[in-house]
Amino acid sequence: MTQKARKILVTSALPYANGPIHIGHMVEYIQTDIWVRFQKMRGHQCLYVCADDAHGTPIMLRARKEGIEPEALIARVAEEHKADFADFNVGFDNYHSTHSDENRHYASLIYQRNKDQGNISNRTITQAYDPVEEMFLPDRFIKGECPKCGAQDQYGDNCEVCGASYSPNELKNPVSAVSGATPVDRDSEHYFFKLGNFETMLKEWTRGGHLQHEVANKLGEWFEAGLHEWDISRDAPYFGFEIPDHPGKFFYVWLDAPIGYMASFKNLCDKTPGLAFDDFWGKDASTELYHFIGKDIIYFHALFWPAMLHGADFRTPTAVFSHGFLTVDGQKMSKSRGTFIKARTYLDTLNPEYLRYYFAAKLGSGIEDIDLNLEDFLARVNSDLVGKVVNIASRCSGFIKKRFDGKLADQLDNQPLFDNFVSAGQQIAACYENREFSKAVREIMALADKANQYIDEKKPWVIAKEEGRAQELHAVCTMGLNLFRLLIGFLRPILPATAEKSEAFLQIQPLAWNDLQKPLLNHEIAAFKPLMTRIENSQIEAIVAASKEDLEKQEAISAKSQGALASDPISDIIEYPDFAKVDLRIVKIIKAQHVEGAEKLLQLTLDLDGETRNVFAGIKSAYTPEELEGKLTVMVANLAPRKMRFGVSEGMVLAAGPGGKELFILTPDSGAAPGMRVK
RNA sequence: GGCUAGGUAGCUCAGUUGGUUAGAGCGACGGACUCAUAACCCGUAGGUCGGCGGUUCAAUUCCGCCUCUAGCCA
């Protein structure tokens, strides 16, 4: 097991400083932290740095809305972020900010060196400009009608209803999301990073074992399309760093964000004697550098970032590890369902170790999304951690305490079983190293089952009642506690706080991986106190309820300024005869099916009690045919039939909502029957 | 729309370089035990491996199409 100590620098993506950390963020920090703790346990020098990503238009606007300076906003958010991470036992060696002197230095340096190498160009571009706010508008701050499907209130780059992507100038009736003014075109000089200069280098790098294979596959697409120049400047007003020698021009937030990794590390170097920046970032550094990121920001980290570093004579990363997203109960986190759970909301009720364990049990080395199934979460944590692992200590310690003065025997009852656990540790270590945490957890839990089976076979509670078998009892319980110690050692990267408590119980030093080969014998242990308690269903319910309350508070705040009516005001007054012309009827959906070739439509067969109608409804994004069949709803029965590509639609069903998943058909109260008129 | 992933028991996931009865944990059901945080141990039931078509002696595994989910499109 002896190997040379490695020097490793690890980062997680920098959280954006305009809002709180939620449990989706935590997947990444927990994944990284487990890996880092594992490396440290193996005796390597492993440093984990991170920072707040503090620049950009959203932060500038958020601060303006709150009536404070951006600096005040990011300082406050940084404290919240740090507290959340600390309470989740994420052990950063340093946490810094992109709005720092170090970052300004390295951003300018990297820009300057690339400029000297001929990797920066400039030209004038035309961009949407808000004449009221006097600022250029990023795509996401322009709203309008989708040019493809006409959906209202869509963002400047893609439509959430039909999924089309387009450029903001294609949007119909565009308005600034900041002021509501109609944007105008305005010219401005921008600076560009000539990514194309790095094509050869990047092709080699992306296929050089630095990325997961599926990520490398994905990047093939970018090479095929050709590498474009990357716009790295933004105009004032902008919260960020001014570009040297170009007053009024600022570095785009995504330029200086990854440089924040360097800045945070530099900040750590300055307070750590003997830690040299160049050892980890110099062109010929022999140390290892890893970035853990979400799959959504792959191209920044796998294309721009290595190219920028290479162009500025710094080393490139050893590897970039991407992970998937978190869903809750199989769906995207949702504020209205109460599954948009903030880190703090979780921490107010539950032990962070539970979530660390659950995520570990789900995480592999790939980029698949992982699901937090709340029912499964409760069952699994209770069963695995409390029922299996902690239980081993709980069921053995009583005998040791009562019968042997709290002292372990001087030999094990079953050395081969102990050796079997130790050798399984090699496989477990390999899983950790390869970020196959779910495999590691499966192995460890199989061992925990073995340990419980062993105790069950030996039946110490039977031995305890028999005369002259004290030594045997002593050996069996010592064996059980030694198996427990190994399990805790194996789980230590995942459960640092539980490991610490266990170490206090066993009265031992923090476990290192190499300590695990030798059993703990002839050693006094402390009285056993519960190391972990079970999750109650009510706690999960409390978290979901608290998350919903958060939403209600937010809605109450925003309702004043922008209720649903603000963007979609009530139409002109009509007289009753106008309304009476519309013949609304209750119908039963007797059949619903997909329409071949149609992206948005479902074909519905509607029963009007005496007549059936064929209707095409644009609700495919929100409903499956199965969930519609048998339902009652309301239709406009006297709408002129309309010929569509797929057939004739004989009416329309009524639904509300902005579109996409958020579409809700009307349903009558019980008692209504097909054919009834709605009036 | 294009691309990259994913769709396997009620739930969460393994797995199959194509080959006899597709696995685990949890849950359900039955039994045993009482040391242990109603924990643990033994056993039983559960799956047209997203759908359709193709290649093959043989497909859950390979190919094509479709569908659903997620992400990205500078």
Side-chain angles (χ1 to χ4, degrees):
Chain A
M1 267 241 242
T2 48
Q3 47 179 319
K4 223 174 104 190
R6 294 153 60 187
K7 289 173 175 240
I8 309 169
L9 176 58
V10 180
T11 72
S12 290
L14 313 186
Y16 202 52
N18 72 339
I21 300 296
H22 55 68
I23 56 171
H25 290 110
M26 289 316 303
V27 172
E28 175 169 316
Y29 301 96
I30 288 173
Q31 180 189 37
T32 315
D33 189 62
I34 290 170
W35 198 77
V36 167
R37 284 180 188 273
F38 168 71
Q39 300 298 351
K40 288 181 175 175
M41 239 186 120
R42 298 282 273 181
H44 302 307
Q45 181 189 21
C46 186
L47 298 163
Y48 180 19
V49 303
C50 195
D52 263 17
D53 179 10
H55 288 155
T57 307
I59 285 173
M60 179 179 79
L61 294 177
R62 170 81 187 256
R64 195 184 286 180
K65 199 172 161 191
E66 293 191 20
I68 56 176
E69 291 301 313
E71 286 84 353
L73 171 68
I74 64 174
R76 187 191 76 211
V77 171
E79 289 313 307
E80 292 168 5
H81 285 184
K82 282 189 216 176
D84 288 344
F85 291 134
D87 291 347
F88 261 107
N89 304 325
V90 174
F92 296 123
D93 290 284
N94 198 48
Y95 197 86
H96 205 43
S97 167
T98 59
H99 194 63
S100 60
D101 292 340
E102 295 91 341
N103 205 40
R104 184 188 293 274
H105 169 75
Y106 285 108
S108 302
L109 181 65
I110 285 173
Y111 166 79
Q112 196 60 52
R113 285 186 180 173
N114 272 295
K115 192 177 175 189
D116 294 345
Q117 295 287 320
N119 296 325
I120 306 290
S121 65
N122 61 309
R123 65 173 184 272
T124 298
I125 63 164
T126 306
Q127 217 187 339
Y129 183 82
D130 183 329
V132 175
E133 289 290 329
E134 299 188 322
M135 60 180 284
F136 285 95
L137 292 166
D139 294 356
R140 53 183 291 203
F141 286 99
I142 306 170
K143 285 184 148 189
E145 288 168 33
C146 169
K148 303 249 161 61
C149 75
Q152 301 278 328
D153 214 25
Q154 295 304 309
Y155 289 100
D157 44 6
N158 72 308
C159 173
E160 290 184 333
V161 176
C162 71
S165 58
Y166 39 79
S167 67
N169 55 19
E170 294 175 66
L171 218 52
K172 289 186 210 154
N173 302 323
V175 293
S176 161
V178 185
S179 69
T182 302
V184 296
D185 284 347
R186 187 177 276 209
D187 288 350
S188 170
E189 185 173 45
H190 275 238
Y191 295 82
F192 293 83
F193 179 69
K194 293 160 83 171
L195 192 63
N197 287 4
F198 297 88
E199 184 168 349
T200 310
M201 174 256 156
L202 285 174
K203 273 187 175 161
E204 278 174 27
W205 191 83
T206 55
R207 292 281 173 194
H210 307 286
L211 301 171
Q212 291 128 299
H213 66 93
E214 54 269 56
V215 172
N217 290 346
K218 174 67 183 164
L219 291 173
E221 176 190 339
W222 296 87
F223 289 116
E224 266 173 44
L227 298 175
H228 299 192
E229 296 194 339
W230 179 39
D231 188 347
I232 55 165
S233 70
R234 293 295 184 271
D235 288 278
Y238 195 78
F239 185 57
F241 293 137
E242 209 162 39
I243 302 178
D245 306 325
H246 298 293
K249 303 288 177 187
F250 290 77
F251 287 128
Y252 174 42
V253 57
W254 261 113
L255 180 106
D256 69 57
I259 296 171
Y261 301 141
M262 298 172 109
S264 185
F265 184 68
K266 172 65 176 155
N267 180 257
L268 177 64
C269 289
D270 290 346
K271 49 194 182 190
T272 312
L275 188 59
F277 184 86
D278 289 343
D279 286 352
F280 286 84
W281 290 98
K283 192 172 178 52
D284 303 312
S286 59
T287 53
E288 299 167 56
L289 171 63
Y290 300 103
H291 302 302
F292 284 76
I293 61 164
K295 63 182 179 180
D296 54 332
I297 54 174
I298 284 170
Y299 70 75
F300 290 106
H301 284 83
L303 291 179
F304 299 139
W305 179 231
M308 275 161 58
L309 287 168
H310 186 74
D313 261 345
F314 286 108
R315 62 94 47 87
T316 49
T318 312
V320 173
F321 299 138
S322 310
H323 60 79
F325 275 63
L326 181 71
T327 55
V328 178
D329 287 341
Q331 292 184 284
K332 257 199 257 191
M333 297 198 299
S334 145
K335 291 183 174 173
S336 59
R337 276 190 293 270
T339 53
F340 195 95
I341 300 169
K342 290 189 216 159
R344 187 48 53 188
T345 310
Y346 174 95
L347 288 166
D348 284 343
T349 308
L350 286 178
N351 184 341
E353 304 271 286
Y354 302 150
L355 195 65
R356 292 178 64 103
Y357 176 72
Y358 192 74
F359 283 170
K362 291 282 181 92
L363 277 166
S365 61
I367 59 169
E368 287 167 56
D369 292 349
I370 65 169
D371 185 46
L372 167 61
N373 180 291
L374 294 172
E375 221 173 283
D376 184 54
F377 170 61
L378 175 140
R380 184 143 195 187
V381 167
N382 287 348
S383 168
D384 288 2
L385 294 182
V386 183
K388 290 179 183 176
V389 176
V390 165
N391 182 45
I392 296 165
S394 178
R395 66 194 305 200
C396 293
S397 60
F399 294 114
I400 295 288
K401 205 73 204 167
K402 272 180 271 172
R403 299 281 297 270
F404 308 102
D405 291 332
K407 203 161 176 205
L408 296 177
D410 56 7
Q411 63 174 19
L412 295 173
D413 173 67
N414 187 338
Q415 185 71 38
L417 181 60
F418 182 86
D419 294 342
N420 175 270
F421 270 51
V422 170
S423 62
Q426 286 176 26
Q427 178 62 30
I428 292 164
C431 291
Y432 274 122
E433 178 67 41
N434 297 321
R435 304 180 326 288
E436 295 287 0
F437 300 163
S438 61
K439 270 194 190 133
V441 165
R442 239 179 297 138
E443 299 261 351
I444 295 167
M445 284 310 137
L447 294 178
D449 285 342
K450 263 194 195 175
N452 277 309
Q453 285 160 17
Y454 161 80
I455 296 166
D456 204 67
E457 266 169 40
K458 290 289 175 177
K459 303 194 182 353
W461 57 94
V462 173
I463 303 176
K465 286 172 192 153
E466 293 178 17
E467 289 292 319
R469 296 184 72 183
Q471 199 184 342
E472 205 181 325
L473 175 67
H474 203 184
V476 166
C477 294
T478 297
M479 181 74 198
L481 285 170
N482 266 281
L483 296 181
F484 169 73
R485 173 174 164 273
L486 291 182
L487 292 170
I488 286 294
F490 295 150
L491 286 167
R492 198 173 198 283
I494 299 170
L495 306 174
T498 306
E500 242 177 74
K501 277 189 179 177
S502 305
E503 285 153 2
F505 157 63
L506 294 170
Q507 305 194 130
I508 55 173
Q509 291 300 303
L511 286 162
W513 206 267
N514 280 331
D515 298 340
L516 299 174
Q517 294 165 80
K518 270 187 261 156
L520 187 66
L521 298 169
N522 241 332
H523 177 89
E524 189 167 338
I525 60 170
F528 180 82
K529 282 181 272 183
L531 297 166
M532 194 179 263
T533 52
R534 305 169 70 77
I535 304 179
E536 300 295 332
N537 200 26
S538 59
Q539 294 177 301
I540 297 207
E541 285 167 3
I543 287 176
V544 171
S547 299
K548 281 183 185 162
E549 270 172 33
D550 272 358
L551 170 71
E552 280 158 18
K553 274 185 223 154
Q554 277 176 20
E555 278 180 344
I557 295 164
S558 62
K560 288 174 197 157
S561 54
Q562 43 182 23
L565 298 182
S567 58
D568 189 7
I570 289 173
S571 304
D572 294 341
I573 298 286
I574 58 167
E575 299 300 329
Y576 179 77
D578 291 327
F579 169 70
K581 285 181 192 165
V582 183
D583 191 345
L584 298 174
R585 298 286 175 153
I586 302 293
V587 290
K588 184 170 190 176
I589 303 172
I590 52 177
K591 195 172 174 192
Q593 54 193 330
H594 289 293
V595 183
E596 200 172 325
E599 278 171 42
K600 294 176 296 176
L601 299 178
L602 288 180
Q603 181 171 16
L604 307 179
T605 306
L606 305 175
D607 174 31
L608 272 156
D609 192 31
E611 188 178 336
T612 58
R613 295 284 187 90
N614 178 56
V615 166
F616 292 96
I619 54 174
K620 186 178 171 183
S621 55
Y623 290 93
T624 62
E626 295 75 49
E627 56 188 325
L628 287 172
E629 284 183 4
K631 262 194 181 154
L632 292 179
T633 187
V634 179
M635 80 173 291
V636 182
N638 64 336
L639 192 67
R642 191 166 153 224
K643 213 173 151 188
M644 303 179 75
R645 183 145 68 95
F646 312 101
V648 176
S649 187
E650 307 163 319
M652 65 183 273
V653 294
L654 302 184
K661 288 254 163 252
E662 308 274 290
L663 266 180
F664 310 97
I665 62 164
L666 302 194
T667 313
D669 205 349
S670 62
M676 283 181 181
R677 183 165 182 148
V678 180
K679 51 191 176 182

